[in-house]
Amino acid sequence: MVIRHSLQLLEQLHELERQIEKWEHYAHQKGIPLESEEILRLALLDLTRGKQVS
């Protein structure tokens, strides 16, 4: 059970890293500072609505 849970956590970590890279790339493309609340807002909207921002 512990191994299964650990593997699930690793998968979630990998997905989180992928999402962070996506938003870093998006911010760089659009010239938005990474510290901007706009990026956080867009990422949260993406997560809650399941939409892809491009």
Side-chain angles (χ1 to χ4, degrees), residues 5-49:
H5 185 39
S6 296
L7 289 173
Q8 288 174 339
L9 289 174
L10 283 173
E11 288 175 12
Q12 291 172 353
L13 177 60
H14 179 70
E15 176 59 22
L16 180 58
E17 289 172 339
R18 192 185 72 72
Q19 289 292 323
I20 290 169
E21 288 176 5
K22 175 180 107 172
W23 287 106
E24 286 175 341
H25 177 73
Y26 180 81
H28 180 71
Q29 253 186 339
K30 302 294 181 181
I32 302 169
L34 289 176
E35 298 81 19
S36 170
E37 287 184 21
E38 182 179 355
I39 288 297
L40 179 57
R41 211 174 292 123
L42 288 171
L44 289 172
L45 281 173
D46 187 45
L47 286 172
T48 57
R49 293 183 181 174

